[in-house]
Amino acid sequence: MQLVGIEMLNIFGGSAYLDVDQLASHRGLDKTRFDNLLMKEKSVALPYEDPVSLGVNAAKPIIDALSDSEKDRIEMLITCTESSFDFGKSMSSYMHDYLGLNRNCRLFEIKSACYSGTTGLQVGINFVLSQVSPGAKALVIATDISRFLVAEGGGVLSEGWSFAEPSSGAGAAAMLVSDRPYIFQMDVGANGYYGFEVMDTCRPVADSEAGDSDLSLLSYLDCLQQSFSEYQKRVPDANYLESFSYLAFHTPFGGMIKGAHRTMMRKMLKAKADVIESDFEERVFPGLIYCQRVGNIMGATTALSLVSTIEHGEFYSPKRIGCFSYGSGCCSEFFSGVVTAESQEYLKQFNIADKLNQRYSLSMDEYDALIKESTTVRFGTRNVKLDTGFLEGARNSSDMPRLFLKEIKEYHRLYEWSQ
Amino acid sequence: MINRGELILEKKNVFLIVKDVISEVLPDVDSNGVKIEQNLKSLGANSIDRTEIVMLSMERLGIKLPLVSFGGVENIEEMVDVLVDNT
């Protein structure tokens, strides 16, 4: 069997974050049972951070770890996003430039709400499996932000949507897909996918979102059950409890995953509450740790949960991780792969926890000022020079070189490295 | 074909089951005081609790239905109606 999977994987969780509990109080949200939602922090995009800068910052350490000849084998650069600033031009063209990749490379972008990162990953996997260009690699960059301006007015679609603000983050995941699956060896053909039309959450206007959070939760749960059932058809001996040492879920917020896991344990195994609780702590919680710090980064969240699982799990012997991805609208997929002790060790080179710790802590006043300042880069902005002095503490929060948006000149985005 | 009387009885029985489930998911709520016109949010249920109440009610009634069938449900009565229609 041809080996395939993720050779390298890195997360960039932004430069600044906000305490979510503080935000909920500030917005006057009903905090009854708020703790059950299992939210802690969310990364917030600075005005001079956009999906391109976040994506490049996630991918750069991977590119730097490759030799020139290895780098030249990247023949596909896929951006996966719901936050692009152009309907035509792919953000992968910018990233290709700032990462200095070989020009004999396919550059394109995928949209499929929060399912986009998994879509890109599967395209990369199948490109490698096809062996049309033996030894070639695909760089998949899932990158999303939420500049928080809720679509105003309306009924069902915005009611209850206020909780989206504390849960929505900003960040990117870069995955190098190849025939050397050092981080995550994909189980080839073990994929259960399931999709149908539903109007749960969407981005029908620029710089804003709308959604029916209850419907989205219901749809997520339907999809989890259905995609796992399809996975079982393709992997007949698969068992929700025994086949996977860990589970990495697309995580809009932690409490939702706890509920989803509880449903699966009850439906599939008729498990009792105490068994479900301890199983959640053991197999699911490791994947939530980073998600609780960064928030929902949409297309990149499943990868974020996977990284969190690898860093916080125990891999003395190779272990299988079950992954579930869901994108509103909707499409979903349950897939799996194997992680080893070497994978865990190899991932350490990216110091993901250190970088999350280095993020700047925003006060509420700074956050409100940031939202106001972000209107300078609204969708469709033709010309603007970014104020590099804005929240300088956040800009200088890390010791690693980072890419920031410098200027928009006749719609063309120009970036600069921080060091 | 069930007549109107049977339908009212059915709705009453389903509501009793739903109230029982509500007290299980929201232990602080006195289910005897729950009115069918109320919405679950006003009882302190968050989105996870609301979904849990829908799922447990379906399980008790032996109903298998896509959860999205409950999308747009505004109060307990509308939820009961979806359950009754599919009993």
Side-chain angles (χ1 to χ4, degrees):
Chain A
M1 168 85 70
Q2 164 82 45
L3 287 181
V4 66
I6 303 173
E7 179 178 336
M8 285 199 251
L9 173 52
N10 187 35
I11 299 292
F12 182 68
S15 307
Y17 76 94
L18 186 67
D19 179 285
V20 163
D21 192 64
Q22 208 185 340
L23 174 65
S25 301
H26 183 68
R27 290 279 184 263
L29 296 182
D30 176 9
K31 285 176 70 183
T32 320
R33 299 169 72 79
F34 187 77
D35 290 348
N36 290 7
L37 302 179
L38 301 178
M39 302 178 186
K40 284 186 178 169
E41 300 169 354
K42 64 174 229 158
S43 288
V44 183
L46 300 166
Y48 38 81
E49 285 182 314
D50 73 1
V52 168
S53 73
L54 296 177
V56 168
N57 289 331
K60 185 71 164 63
I62 291 177
I63 301 305
D64 289 347
L66 296 173
S67 68
D68 285 347
S69 59
E70 285 171 323
K71 192 169 92 171
D72 285 345
R73 292 311 315 271
I74 296 174
E75 297 184 11
M76 201 180 262
L77 171 53
I78 312 172
T79 40
C80 314
T81 189
E82 58 180 88
S83 322
S84 189
F85 43 79
D86 193 298
F87 294 126
K89 181 174 166 67
S90 166
M91 293 194 297
S92 56
S93 57
Y94 285 108
M95 296 194 197
H96 179 266
D97 185 23
Y98 285 94
L99 293 170
L101 302 183
N102 181 359
R103 289 195 171 193
N104 299 116
C105 182
R106 289 180 177 137
L107 309 177
F108 60 99
E109 192 157 295
I110 287 172
K111 169 176 75 178
S112 191
C114 300
Y115 177 57
S116 69
T118 297
T119 319
L121 172 63
Q122 299 297 354
V123 170
I125 293 286
N126 284 288
F127 171 57
V128 173
L129 283 174
S130 73
Q131 286 296 296
V132 287
S133 181
K137 302 175 194 289
L139 180 60
V140 179
I141 302 178
T143 179
D144 272 308
I145 64 169
S146 188
R147 301 234 191 255
F148 225 87
L149 302 159
V150 175
E152 288 172 8
V156 178
L157 269 185
S158 49
E159 207 172 285
W161 188 236
S162 47
F163 277 92
E165 187 183 18
S167 62
S168 299
M175 297 174 267
L176 186 67
V177 178
S178 77
D179 53 7
R180 298 173 193 177
Y182 300 147
I183 300 278
F184 183 81
Q185 185 185 323
M186 189 68 86
D187 292 329
V188 175
N191 311 74
Y193 21 84
Y194 188 79
F196 62 98
E197 200 280 322
V198 62
M199 190 65 175
D200 53 346
T201 70
C202 49
R203 292 192 175 191
V205 290
D207 295 321
S208 196
E209 306 175 11
D212 177 343
S213 52
D214 275 20
L215 182 59
S216 195
L217 175 56
L218 296 166
S219 176
Y220 182 104
L221 293 172
D222 278 336
C223 281
L224 176 56
Q225 288 170 43
Q226 296 296 336
S227 64
F228 185 71
S229 297
E230 182 59 26
Y231 178 96
Q232 273 184 315
K233 280 185 199 157
R234 297 170 191 223
V235 187
D237 296 331
N239 176 293
Y240 184 75
L241 182 67
E242 286 160 13
S243 302
F244 315 100
S245 300
Y246 295 102
L247 293 158
F249 288 90
H250 167 60
T251 305
F253 56 93
M256 181 164 163
I257 303 318
K258 193 166 186 182
H261 177 63
R262 186 167 56 225
T263 305
M264 289 297 279
M265 290 291 283
R266 227 172 29 217
K267 291 237 168 191
M268 301 282 160
L269 306 149
K270 310 253 178 277
K272 298 280 177 239
D274 55 333
V275 175
I276 296 174
E277 183 68 32
S278 64
D279 189 71
F280 170 77
E281 291 296 328
E282 189 185 323
R283 291 198 300 150
V284 182
F285 189 71
L288 299 190
I289 295 169
Y290 286 164
C291 296
Q292 284 185 308
R293 302 196 61 189
V294 180
N296 183 8
I297 46 172
M298 293 132 250
T301 308
T302 308
L304 177 64
S305 181
L306 177 61
V307 164
S308 184
T309 304
I310 298 172
E311 294 216 341
H312 299 98
E314 285 179 353
F315 295 92
Y316 300 125
S317 57
K319 289 182 176 167
R320 176 158 285 109
I321 301 179
C323 302
F324 175 66
S325 174
Y326 171 84
S328 290
C330 69
C331 194
S332 65
E333 183 157 345
F334 193 98
F335 61 99
S336 61
V338 174
V339 167
T340 65
E342 290 74 26
S343 309
Q344 195 180 42
E345 196 54 39
Y346 199 63
L347 190 60
K348 282 184 184 159
Q349 66 181 300
F350 298 117
N351 300 315
I352 293 166
D354 288 348
K355 287 175 192 163
L356 289 178
N357 294 339
Q358 285 173 357
R359 290 172 308 164
Y360 179 83
S361 171
L362 293 166
S363 69
M364 272 319 305
D365 286 348
E366 286 171 327
Y367 176 69
D368 283 338
L370 187 156
I371 289 184
K372 208 171 157 203
E373 181 71 15
S374 294
T375 57
T376 58
V377 285
R378 271 184 176 278
F379 189 96
T381 300
R382 187 166 185 155
N383 289 293
V384 69
K385 280 192 177 150
L386 278 295
D387 176 5
T388 56
F390 183 77
L391 284 175
E392 218 168 3
R395 191 181 175 93
N396 300 322
S397 61
S398 169
D399 52 10
M400 80 175 235
R402 277 176 302 175
L403 194 71
F404 291 119
L405 178 62
K406 182 183 165 197
E407 184 180 354
I408 302 176
K409 195 173 181 181
E410 288 302 296
Y411 300 120
H412 191 214
R413 295 203 171 207
L414 305 170
Y415 299 84
E416 63 183 351
W417 289 99
S418 63
Q419 287 167 24
Chain B
M1 187 86 174
I2 54 173
N3 63 38
R4 192 174 147 71
E6 284 170 331
L7 193 66
I8 291 169
L9 186 65
E10 182 69 20
K11 193 163 167 174
K12 210 172 162 185
N13 289 338
V14 169
F15 179 47
L16 282 175
I17 289 170
V18 170
K19 277 207 287 191
D20 200 38
V21 169
I22 290 171
S23 63
E24 194 180 318
V25 176
L26 306 169
D28 297 340
V29 172
D30 173 16
S31 62
N32 292 322
V34 173
K35 303 268 182 293
I36 199 163
E37 311 78 31
Q38 281 183 289
N39 65 46
L40 291 171
K41 215 180 276 183
S42 69
L43 297 175
N46 64 30
S47 59
I48 312 287
D49 301 328
R50 297 196 286 273
T51 309
E52 191 78 359
I53 291 164
V54 168
M55 286 189 302
L56 287 172
S57 301
M58 281 207 291
E59 267 178 47
R60 296 277 173 85
L61 292 159
I63 297 171
K64 283 188 180 167
L65 204 61
L67 288 167
V68 291
S69 314
F70 294 86
V73 160
E74 300 267 347
N75 62 15
I76 299 173
E77 184 164 18
E78 288 181 21
M79 176 188 154
V80 168
D81 286 340
V82 177
L83 291 167
V84 171
D85 287 348
N86 293 280
T87 305

